[in-house]
């Protein structure tokens, strides 16, 4: 499935992670090529969020290997990892209540050149511009999601980790987020997307990995989605 | 001169001024406690001892280096702030994930060590520290006599408090602090060195205590237990204002100083307890404090 010789931007190998005593990831292996949108599918509790957190370095204990541009991330703290050009949009969105929308948007520091300018971000999410001085958490769920995505586009990060960006949102907003992901892909961003909604994922993803009980149990390309639908319904229990 | 309820304006405004002075110290100290608690989740029980260290540093600078008040007000917060940074790196950083109780016990222990050591060397009778020449004397405002130094303390501490508020609530650096108070993990995952920010925040909070100590030196004496007496009242102020609110700490600090002063005029018997009575009432009605967000 990988074109031979392509060097992955992100290569995860034998990744294990723990929350205290509880062993959650049991050797996760996958990779993401520069410019791809790759989706992690899987039921609730499969370990998708933990995988993103482990890449970002915010899980208590992790072992195995996570390489970004060939550089080993295991052992680095999350601020160092962010400065290499990886940014997380967390599942709970993480909008700060004590910051207004503008402060939330400008919070993540620039880590590299080449981030989107503010006016580009406002073009993607016009709602944000109208509400710059509102308290961050006064926004609607959809607007908070746009803010959570928008703020990591400025930083120059090239790999975006998006954790269920459509969860709990209205269909129009899901569509807007889908378009945004498409635009970002055109602009050369690489995206690792966690989704339970594979209908949505199929509109943006190049490839899929399926997780269960802290392991990758299957993988296929977008073109193979139809052929894998039965299996997928089984995996996701839908 | 005029009279109000049979009390001369001189006595009334005199007590109000004393209230404002006390309020200045309450505000500076509770502000430092609020900043520290917000970022470190630690109730800094050594705050009173660090205030005392500020006053002693001013005293040492004068005795051993010939550096007067204006040097002290600049240097003592830096020196004591650096000791705070060392304490944070050596001890406090290991406690953030534990219950508040551990931080409280550790800083309480440190306070006992500092105060005990200084009592051992300097006894408990205070050492004098004189008002800087530029601020000696006073002026007659018509309704009262205002000693220049006391006027300076009120104005300068108000300025320091409001500047701190401005930096935290209105600047980019402040937005990092507020965000890290809410969700340090995420702020760090954006590439910000949160542990360093926490260390510097503790250093800053401690420096505020030391600054208050320097300002207090010419008014009260410099003595090992000067902070221990004050800090109990300051904790009551913090409880009334609500932990973690910056403006709350400032307003409550000055407000309670004034209330205490008024009580001295109208009902002197209660002047030492009025703050604790207010604290009890606030705890019953609004446990999170007047400005606190209930968790
Ligand atoms: N903070 C945590 N502490 C302990 N266990 C956790 C924590 N977060 C998640 N888990 C457990 O780890 C497993 C994987 O969770 P998660 O990665 O959130 O799954 P997903 O994102 O696929 O729904 C689940 O069994 C969950 O209960
Ligand atoms: Mg999840």
């Amino acid at each position: 499935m990988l074109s031979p010789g392509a060097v992955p931007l992100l290569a995860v190998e034998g990744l294990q992670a723990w929350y205290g005593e509880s062993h959650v990831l049991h050797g996760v292996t996958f990779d993401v090529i520069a410019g791809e949108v790759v989706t992690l599918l899987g039921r609730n509790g499969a370990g998708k969020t933990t995988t993103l957190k482990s890449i970002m370095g915010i899980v208590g204990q992790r072992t195995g290997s996570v390489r970004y541009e060939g550089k080993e991330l295991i052992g680095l703290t999350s601020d160092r990892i962010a400065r290499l050009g990886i940014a997380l949009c967390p599942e709970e969105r993480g909008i700060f209540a004590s910051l207004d929308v503008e402060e939330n948007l400008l919070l993540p520091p620039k880590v590299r050149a080449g981030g989107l300018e503010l006016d580009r971000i406002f073009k993607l999410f016009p709602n944000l511009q109208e509400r710059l001085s509102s308290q961050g958490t006064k926004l609607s769920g959809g607007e908070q999601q746009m803010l959570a995505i928008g703020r990591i586009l400025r930083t120059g990060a090239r790999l975006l980790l998006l954790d269920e960006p459509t969860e709990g949102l209205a269909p129009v907003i899901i569509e807007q987020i889908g378009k945004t992901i498409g635009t970002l892909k055109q602009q050369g961003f690489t995206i690792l997307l966690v989704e339970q909604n594979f209908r949505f994922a199929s509109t943006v993803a190049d490839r899929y990995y399926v997780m269960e009980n802290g392991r990758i149990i299957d993988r296929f390309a977008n073109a193979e989605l139809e052929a894998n639908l039965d299996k997928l319904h089984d995996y996701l229990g839908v | 001169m005029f009279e109000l309820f049979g009390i001369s304006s001189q006595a009334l405004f005199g007590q109000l001024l004393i209230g404002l002075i006390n309020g200045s110290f309450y505000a500076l100290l509770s502000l430092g406690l609020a900043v520290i608690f917000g970022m470190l989740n630690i109730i800094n029980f050594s705050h009173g001892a660090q205030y005392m260290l500020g006053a002693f540093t001013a005293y040492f600078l004068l005795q051993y280096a010939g550096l007067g008040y204006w040097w002290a007000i600049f240097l003592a917060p830096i020196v004591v702030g650096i000791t705070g940074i060392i304490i944070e790196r050596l001890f406090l950083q290991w406690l953030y994930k534990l219950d508040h109780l551990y931080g409280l016990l550790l800083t309480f222990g440190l306070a006992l060590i500092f105060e005990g050591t200084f009592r051992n060397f300097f006894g408990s009778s205070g050492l004098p520290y004189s008002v800087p020449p530029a601020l000696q004397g006073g002026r007659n405002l018509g309704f009262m006599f205002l000693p220049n130094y006391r006027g300076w303390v009120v104005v300068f501490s108000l300025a320091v408090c409001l500047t701190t508020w401005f930096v935290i609530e209105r600047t980019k650096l402040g937005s990092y602090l507020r965000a890290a108070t809410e969700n340090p993990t995420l702020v760090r995952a954006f590439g910000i060195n949160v542990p360093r920010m926490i260390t510097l925040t503790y250093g800053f909070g401690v420096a505020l205590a030391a600054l208050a100590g320097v300002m207090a030196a010419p008014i009260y004496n410099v003595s090992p237990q000067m902070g221990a007496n004050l800090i109990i009242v300051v904790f009551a102020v913090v409880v009334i204002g609500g932990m973690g609110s910056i403006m709350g700490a400032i307003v409550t600090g000055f407000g309670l100083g004034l209330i205490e002063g008024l009580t001295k005029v109208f009902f002197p018997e209660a002047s030492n307890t009025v703050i604790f009575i207010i604290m009890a009432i606030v705890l019953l009605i609004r446990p999170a404090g007047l400005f606190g967000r209930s968790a």
Side-chain angles (χ1 to χ4, degrees):
Chain A
M1 208 176 325
L2 280 181
S3 48
V7 183
L9 182 68
L10 178 78
V12 177
E13 225 181 299
L15 176 65
Q16 306 201 37
W18 290 259
Y19 292 108
E21 295 288 292
S22 124
H23 191 175
V24 173
L25 299 186
H26 304 269
V28 173
T29 300
F30 67 95
D31 45 40
V32 182
I33 310 291
E36 273 190 316
V37 175
V38 169
T39 299
L40 286 180
L41 297 168
R43 293 186 201 209
N44 255 332
K48 306 179 297 294
T49 296
T50 307
T51 302
L52 296 194
K53 285 186 175 173
S54 303
I55 295 168
M56 203 68 239
I58 53 180
V59 160
Q61 197 197 339
R62 63 210 204 282
T63 64
S65 166
V66 176
R67 287 173 173 278
Y68 178 70
E69 293 180 331
K71 189 171 165 56
E72 183 57 67
L73 305 186
I74 297 282
L76 295 189
T77 54
S78 60
D79 50 329
R80 300 273 311 279
I81 293 172
R83 294 206 164 264
L84 296 173
I86 307 180
L88 171 69
C89 174
E91 189 170 9
E92 68 285 356
R93 297 180 189 136
I95 301 304
F96 296 94
S98 55
L99 275 59
D100 64 25
V101 170
E102 185 173 15
E103 287 174 324
N104 266 289
L105 192 57
L106 300 181
L107 183 77
K110 294 206 163 148
V111 294
R112 284 191 177 186
L116 294 193
E117 298 298 329
L118 267 185
D119 54 343
R120 298 286 297 280
I121 295 172
F122 291 142
K123 226 168 255 160
L124 289 171
F125 303 120
N127 301 38
L128 295 184
Q129 191 164 17
E130 289 156 24
R131 308 219 40 193
L132 279 180
S133 54
S134 307
Q135 186 190 343
T137 44
K138 290 268 159 69
L139 297 185
S140 70
E143 288 168 330
Q144 288 192 33
Q145 189 64 62
M146 295 172 195
L147 182 53
I149 298 176
R151 70 180 167 191
I152 59 173
L153 303 180
R154 282 177 52 255
T155 64
R158 301 310 292 163
L159 174 63
L160 309 182
L161 311 177
L162 308 183
D163 199 346
E164 303 207 30
T166 65
E167 195 180 4
L169 299 182
V172 239
I173 298 175
I174 295 184
E175 196 178 318
Q176 190 183 356
I177 289 174
K179 275 191 195 136
T180 305
I181 293 177
T183 310
L184 294 176
K185 186 182 173 191
Q186 276 170 15
Q187 306 204 340
F189 283 95
T190 306
I191 295 173
L192 177 57
L193 175 71
V194 162
E195 265 302 334
Q196 302 215 33
N197 176 349
F198 71 85
R199 284 285 160 217
F200 169 76
S202 70
T203 62
V204 292
D206 296 306
R207 292 189 294 133
Y208 305 85
Y209 289 93
V210 183
M211 284 194 81
E212 199 173 283
N213 295 326
R215 290 183 183 81
I216 301 283
I217 53 161
D218 205 350
R219 52 183 285 179
F220 45 87
N222 198 32
E224 302 159 331
L225 183 67
E226 291 304 317
N228 282 281
L229 270 186
D230 283 346
K231 257 201 309 187
L232 206 50
H233 280 295
D234 218 34
Y235 291 144
L236 301 178
V238 284
Chain B
M1 290 297 144
F2 56 90
E3 290 205 357
L4 199 72
F5 306 122
I7 291 156
S8 76
S9 67
Q10 195 63 260
L12 176 65
F13 288 110
Q15 287 302 338
L16 278 183
L17 176 64
I18 292 179
L20 261 187
I21 299 275
N22 287 337
S24 303
F25 293 116
Y26 298 162
L28 274 177
L29 292 171
S30 60
L31 176 64
L33 283 175
V35 170
I36 290 171
F37 182 76
M39 272 294 268
L40 287 80
N41 233 354
I42 274 185
I43 300 167
N44 185 36
F45 236 88
S46 51
H47 216 66
Q50 283 152 336
Y51 159 87
M52 178 272 290
L53 289 179
F56 264 97
T57 307
Y59 176 81
F60 294 145
L61 284 171
L62 188 62
Q63 288 296 309
Y64 303 114
L67 298 174
Y69 181 85
W70 302 109
W71 278 106
I73 210 164
F74 172 70
L75 288 178
I78 296 177
V79 171
V80 181
I82 289 172
T83 66
I85 286 174
I86 294 168
I87 289 171
E88 195 276 342
R89 283 291 85 192
L90 281 181
F91 305 117
L92 298 181
Q93 65 158 321
W94 312 110
L95 304 179
Y96 300 142
K97 293 197 180 102
L98 306 176
D99 192 89
H100 292 325
L101 200 55
Y102 290 87
L104 192 147
L105 284 175
L106 184 106
T107 52
F108 184 56
L110 288 174
L112 292 180
I113 292 171
F114 289 141
E115 285 165 358
T117 309
F118 275 74
R119 199 161 46 239
N120 191 39
F121 288 105
F122 301 96
S124 23
S125 59
L127 305 162
Y129 189 93
S130 53
V131 171
L135 293 173
Q136 275 164 11
R139 58 198 69 201
N140 195 340
L141 300 180
F143 56 90
M144 66 175 291
F145 179 78
L146 175 69
N148 288 338
Y149 186 74
R150 303 199 167 206
W152 152 258
V153 166
V154 174
V155 171
F156 185 60
S157 34
L158 193 61
V160 170
C161 286
L162 293 180
T163 307
T164 305
W165 172 84
F166 180 84
V167 169
I168 293 178
E169 297 294 338
R170 292 285 180 273
T171 66
K172 177 87 189 177
L173 173 68
S175 73
Y176 287 152
L177 287 167
R178 277 174 283 140
T181 298
E182 268 187 63
N183 188 344
T185 307
L186 184 58
V187 171
R188 191 169 190 195
F190 285 145
I192 295 167
N193 190 337
V194 173
R196 190 174 61 200
M197 232 163 72
I198 291 177
T199 306
L200 293 176
T201 299
Y202 188 71
F204 174 75
V206 168
L208 277 181
L211 178 70
V214 178
M215 287 201 277
I219 299 184
Y220 314 109
N221 278 333
V222 177
S223 81
Q225 65 278 12
M226 65 191 284
N229 302 335
L230 183 57
I231 204 65
I232 301 300
V233 181
V234 171
F235 273 108
V237 172
V238 168
V239 170
I240 294 168
M243 267 295 191
S245 159
I246 301 302
M247 197 41 112
I250 300 171
V251 171
T252 319
F254 280 99
L256 286 174
L258 280 176
I259 290 176
E260 210 180 25
L262 281 177
T263 314
K264 251 180 216 141
V265 178
F266 294 106
F267 194 54
E269 297 81 358
S271 64
N272 289 327
T273 45
V274 62
I275 288 186
F276 297 99
I277 295 169
I278 296 175
M279 178 181 88
I281 296 170
V282 168
L283 278 179
L284 284 174
I285 299 172
R286 262 184 83 98
L290 296 178
F291 296 85
R293 282 173 286 247
S294 46

Short mmCIF file of all heavy atoms in Angstrom, two decimals, chain A residues 56 58 77-79 82-83 94 96-99 103 106-107 109 151-152, chain B residues 169 171-172 175-176 178-179 182-183 185-193:
data_model
loop_
_atom_site.label_atom_id
_atom_site.label_comp_id
_atom_site.label_asym_id
_atom_site.label_seq_id
_atom_site.Cartn_x
_atom_site.Cartn_y
_atom_site.Cartn_z
N MET A 56 1.95 12.76 21.14
CA MET A 56 2.15 14.12 21.62
C MET A 56 2.98 14.16 22.92
O MET A 56 3.41 15.22 23.34
CB MET A 56 0.77 14.74 21.86
CG MET A 56 0.71 16.24 21.81
SD MET A 56 1.01 16.90 20.17
CE MET A 56 2.43 17.92 20.48
N ILE A 58 1.88 13.18 26.05
CA ILE A 58 1.14 13.56 27.26
C ILE A 58 0.47 12.38 27.94
O ILE A 58 -0.50 12.54 28.65
CB ILE A 58 0.10 14.68 26.98
CG1 ILE A 58 -0.82 14.30 25.83
CG2 ILE A 58 0.78 15.98 26.67
CD1 ILE A 58 -1.86 15.37 25.54
N THR A 77 9.73 15.52 26.05
CA THR A 77 8.55 16.09 26.70
C THR A 77 7.65 16.72 25.63
O THR A 77 8.08 17.01 24.52
CB THR A 77 8.95 17.16 27.72
OG1 THR A 77 9.77 18.12 27.07
CG2 THR A 77 9.72 16.55 28.88
N SER A 78 6.38 16.95 26.00
CA SER A 78 5.41 17.37 24.99
C SER A 78 5.74 18.74 24.40
O SER A 78 5.46 18.98 23.22
CB SER A 78 4.00 17.37 25.58
OG SER A 78 3.92 18.24 26.67
N ASP A 79 6.35 19.64 25.19
CA ASP A 79 6.68 20.94 24.60
C ASP A 79 7.75 20.80 23.53
O ASP A 79 7.70 21.46 22.48
CB ASP A 79 7.07 21.96 25.68
CG ASP A 79 8.12 21.46 26.65
OD1 ASP A 79 8.14 20.24 26.91
OD2 ASP A 79 8.92 22.26 27.14
N ALA A 82 6.00 19.35 20.43
CA ALA A 82 5.24 20.39 19.72
C ALA A 82 6.17 21.25 18.88
O ALA A 82 5.85 21.62 17.75
CB ALA A 82 4.49 21.25 20.73
N ARG A 83 7.35 21.53 19.41
CA ARG A 83 8.27 22.43 18.70
C ARG A 83 8.88 21.80 17.47
O ARG A 83 9.45 22.48 16.63
CB ARG A 83 9.35 22.95 19.65
CG ARG A 83 8.75 23.83 20.72
CD ARG A 83 9.67 24.85 21.32
NE ARG A 83 8.88 25.85 22.04
CZ ARG A 83 8.49 27.01 21.52
NH1 ARG A 83 8.86 27.35 20.30
NH2 ARG A 83 7.75 27.84 22.22
N GLY A 94 -10.55 21.47 24.54
CA GLY A 94 -9.55 22.22 25.31
C GLY A 94 -9.59 23.72 25.07
O GLY A 94 -8.55 24.37 25.01
N PHE A 96 -10.03 27.40 26.42
CA PHE A 96 -9.79 27.95 27.75
C PHE A 96 -10.87 28.95 28.13
O PHE A 96 -11.11 29.91 27.41
CB PHE A 96 -8.42 28.60 27.81
CG PHE A 96 -7.30 27.61 27.60
CD1 PHE A 96 -6.77 27.43 26.33
CD2 PHE A 96 -6.83 26.84 28.64
CE1 PHE A 96 -5.76 26.49 26.13
CE2 PHE A 96 -5.83 25.91 28.45
CZ PHE A 96 -5.29 25.73 27.18
N ALA A 97 -11.50 28.72 29.28
CA ALA A 97 -12.60 29.58 29.73
C ALA A 97 -12.11 30.95 30.17
O ALA A 97 -12.81 31.94 30.04
CB ALA A 97 -13.34 28.91 30.88
N SER A 98 -10.88 31.01 30.66
CA SER A 98 -10.38 32.31 31.15
C SER A 98 -9.73 33.13 30.04
O SER A 98 -9.17 34.19 30.30
CB SER A 98 -9.40 32.09 32.30
OG SER A 98 -8.36 31.23 31.91
N LEU A 99 -9.82 32.64 28.80
CA LEU A 99 -9.29 33.39 27.66
C LEU A 99 -10.42 33.72 26.71
O LEU A 99 -11.35 32.91 26.55
CB LEU A 99 -8.24 32.56 26.92
CG LEU A 99 -6.79 32.58 27.42
CD1 LEU A 99 -6.68 32.10 28.86
CD2 LEU A 99 -5.92 31.73 26.52
N GLU A 103 -7.58 35.38 22.33
CA GLU A 103 -6.45 34.86 23.10
C GLU A 103 -6.30 33.35 22.91
O GLU A 103 -5.19 32.84 22.80
CB GLU A 103 -6.66 35.16 24.59
CG GLU A 103 -6.46 36.62 24.96
CD GLU A 103 -6.81 36.90 26.42
OE1 GLU A 103 -7.77 36.30 26.95
OE2 GLU A 103 -6.13 37.73 27.03
N LEU A 106 -4.65 32.81 19.57
CA LEU A 106 -3.24 33.21 19.48
C LEU A 106 -2.36 32.49 20.50
O LEU A 106 -1.16 32.72 20.55
CB LEU A 106 -3.11 34.72 19.67
CG LEU A 106 -3.86 35.58 18.64
CD1 LEU A 106 -3.64 37.05 18.91
CD2 LEU A 106 -3.43 35.23 17.22
N LEU A 107 -2.97 31.64 21.32
CA LEU A 107 -2.20 31.02 22.41
C LEU A 107 -1.03 30.15 21.94
O LEU A 107 0.09 30.35 22.37
CB LEU A 107 -3.14 30.21 23.32
CG LEU A 107 -2.44 29.60 24.53
CD1 LEU A 107 -2.17 30.66 25.59
CD2 LEU A 107 -3.23 28.46 25.12
N PRO A 109 2.16 29.02 20.48
CA PRO A 109 3.24 29.80 19.86
C PRO A 109 3.61 29.24 18.49
O PRO A 109 3.37 28.06 18.21
CB PRO A 109 4.39 29.64 20.84
CG PRO A 109 4.09 28.42 21.63
CD PRO A 109 2.61 28.24 21.63
N ARG A 151 -6.70 27.32 15.90
CA ARG A 151 -5.54 27.81 16.64
C ARG A 151 -4.27 27.00 16.36
O ARG A 151 -3.18 27.50 16.59
CB ARG A 151 -5.83 27.83 18.14
CG ARG A 151 -5.93 26.47 18.77
CD ARG A 151 -6.22 26.55 20.26
NE ARG A 151 -6.60 25.23 20.74
CZ ARG A 151 -7.11 24.99 21.94
NH1 ARG A 151 -7.31 25.99 22.77
NH2 ARG A 151 -7.42 23.77 22.29
N ILE A 152 -4.41 25.74 15.88
CA ILE A 152 -3.18 24.99 15.61
C ILE A 152 -2.72 25.16 14.16
O ILE A 152 -1.68 24.64 13.78
CB ILE A 152 -3.32 23.48 15.95
CG1 ILE A 152 -4.43 22.84 15.15
CG2 ILE A 152 -3.51 23.29 17.44
CD1 ILE A 152 -4.50 21.33 15.33
N GLU B 169 -4.21 39.65 33.40
CA GLU B 169 -5.51 39.61 32.73
C GLU B 169 -5.51 40.19 31.31
O GLU B 169 -6.44 39.99 30.57
CB GLU B 169 -6.55 40.36 33.57
CG GLU B 169 -6.80 39.74 34.95
CD GLU B 169 -7.45 38.36 34.87
OE1 GLU B 169 -8.07 38.05 33.83
OE2 GLU B 169 -7.31 37.59 35.84
N THR B 171 -2.41 40.73 29.11
CA THR B 171 -1.27 40.61 28.20
C THR B 171 -1.15 39.17 27.69
O THR B 171 -1.78 38.25 28.20
CB THR B 171 0.06 40.99 28.88
OG1 THR B 171 0.33 40.03 29.90
CG2 THR B 171 -0.01 42.38 29.49
N LYS B 172 -0.28 39.03 26.69
CA LYS B 172 -0.01 37.72 26.11
C LYS B 172 0.59 36.76 27.15
O LYS B 172 0.15 35.63 27.29
CB LYS B 172 0.99 37.93 24.95
CG LYS B 172 1.44 36.68 24.28
CD LYS B 172 0.49 36.31 23.18
CE LYS B 172 0.83 34.94 22.64
NZ LYS B 172 -0.09 34.49 21.63
N SER B 175 -2.00 35.55 29.28
CA SER B 175 -2.87 34.52 28.69
C SER B 175 -2.22 33.15 28.83
O SER B 175 -2.90 32.15 29.04
CB SER B 175 -3.22 34.85 27.23
OG SER B 175 -2.11 34.64 26.38
N TYR B 176 -0.89 33.09 28.74
CA TYR B 176 -0.21 31.81 29.00
C TYR B 176 -0.45 31.36 30.44
O TYR B 176 -0.73 30.20 30.71
CB TYR B 176 1.31 31.94 28.79
CG TYR B 176 1.75 32.04 27.35
CD1 TYR B 176 2.91 32.71 27.00
CD2 TYR B 176 1.00 31.45 26.34
CE1 TYR B 176 3.32 32.81 25.69
CE2 TYR B 176 1.41 31.54 25.02
CZ TYR B 176 2.57 32.22 24.70
OH TYR B 176 2.97 32.31 23.41
N ARG B 178 -2.89 32.24 32.53
CA ARG B 178 -4.28 31.83 32.78
C ARG B 178 -4.56 30.46 32.16
O ARG B 178 -5.18 29.59 32.78
CB ARG B 178 -5.25 32.88 32.19
CG ARG B 178 -5.48 34.06 33.12
CD ARG B 178 -6.32 35.12 32.46
NE ARG B 178 -5.53 35.89 31.50
CZ ARG B 178 -5.93 36.31 30.32
NH1 ARG B 178 -7.16 36.02 29.90
NH2 ARG B 178 -5.15 37.00 29.53
N ALA B 179 -4.09 30.26 30.92
CA ALA B 179 -4.33 28.98 30.26
C ALA B 179 -3.65 27.85 31.02
O ALA B 179 -4.23 26.79 31.22
CB ALA B 179 -3.84 29.04 28.82
N GLU B 182 -5.52 26.72 33.94
CA GLU B 182 -6.66 25.85 33.61
C GLU B 182 -6.23 24.45 33.18
O GLU B 182 -6.80 23.46 33.60
CB GLU B 182 -7.45 26.46 32.45
CG GLU B 182 -8.57 27.36 32.86
CD GLU B 182 -9.39 27.77 31.64
OE1 GLU B 182 -9.99 26.91 30.98
OE2 GLU B 182 -9.41 28.98 31.34
N ASN B 183 -5.29 24.38 32.27
CA ASN B 183 -4.94 23.09 31.67
C ASN B 183 -3.47 23.06 31.28
O ASN B 183 -3.10 23.25 30.12
CB ASN B 183 -5.83 22.87 30.43
CG ASN B 183 -5.68 21.47 29.85
OD1 ASN B 183 -4.73 20.76 30.17
ND2 ASN B 183 -6.60 21.09 29.00
N THR B 185 -1.33 20.69 30.99
CA THR B 185 -0.90 19.65 30.05
C THR B 185 -1.06 20.12 28.61
O THR B 185 -0.15 19.97 27.78
CB THR B 185 -1.74 18.38 30.27
OG1 THR B 185 -1.68 18.04 31.64
CG2 THR B 185 -1.23 17.24 29.43
N LEU B 186 -2.22 20.71 28.30
CA LEU B 186 -2.47 21.13 26.93
C LEU B 186 -1.57 22.30 26.55
O LEU B 186 -1.03 22.35 25.44
CB LEU B 186 -3.95 21.50 26.75
CG LEU B 186 -4.37 21.86 25.34
CD1 LEU B 186 -4.08 20.73 24.37
CD2 LEU B 186 -5.86 22.23 25.28
N VAL B 187 -1.39 23.24 27.48
CA VAL B 187 -0.53 24.39 27.17
C VAL B 187 0.89 23.91 26.86
O VAL B 187 1.53 24.38 25.93
CB VAL B 187 -0.53 25.39 28.34
CG1 VAL B 187 0.50 26.48 28.12
CG2 VAL B 187 -1.91 26.02 28.49
N ARG B 188 1.34 22.94 27.63
CA ARG B 188 2.67 22.40 27.36
C ARG B 188 2.72 21.71 26.01
O ARG B 188 3.70 21.81 25.28
CB ARG B 188 3.06 21.43 28.47
CG ARG B 188 4.52 21.07 28.39
CD ARG B 188 4.99 20.32 29.61
NE ARG B 188 6.44 20.23 29.55
CZ ARG B 188 7.15 19.40 30.30
NH1 ARG B 188 6.56 18.62 31.17
NH2 ARG B 188 8.45 19.37 30.17
N ALA B 189 1.63 21.02 25.66
CA ALA B 189 1.59 20.31 24.38
C ALA B 189 1.52 21.28 23.20
O ALA B 189 1.62 20.86 22.05
CB ALA B 189 0.42 19.33 24.35
N PHE B 190 1.32 22.56 23.46
CA PHE B 190 1.41 23.56 22.40
C PHE B 190 2.85 24.07 22.24
O PHE B 190 3.11 24.92 21.40
CB PHE B 190 0.50 24.76 22.69
CG PHE B 190 -0.96 24.49 22.46
CD1 PHE B 190 -1.93 25.07 23.27
CD2 PHE B 190 -1.37 23.67 21.43
CE1 PHE B 190 -3.27 24.82 23.05
CE2 PHE B 190 -2.72 23.41 21.21
CZ PHE B 190 -3.66 24.00 22.02
N GLY B 191 3.75 23.58 23.08
CA GLY B 191 5.14 23.96 22.92
C GLY B 191 5.64 24.97 23.93
O GLY B 191 6.71 25.54 23.77
N ILE B 192 4.85 25.23 24.96
CA ILE B 192 5.26 26.20 25.97
C ILE B 192 5.90 25.46 27.15
O ILE B 192 5.38 24.43 27.59
CB ILE B 192 4.04 27.03 26.43
CG1 ILE B 192 3.52 27.85 25.25
CG2 ILE B 192 4.42 27.95 27.60
CD1 ILE B 192 2.17 28.46 25.46
N ASN B 193 7.01 25.98 27.63
CA ASN B 193 7.72 25.34 28.73
C ASN B 193 7.01 25.65 30.05
O ASN B 193 7.39 26.57 30.77
CB ASN B 193 9.17 25.82 28.75
CG ASN B 193 10.01 25.01 29.71
OD1 ASN B 193 9.48 24.40 30.65
ND2 ASN B 193 11.30 25.01 29.50
#
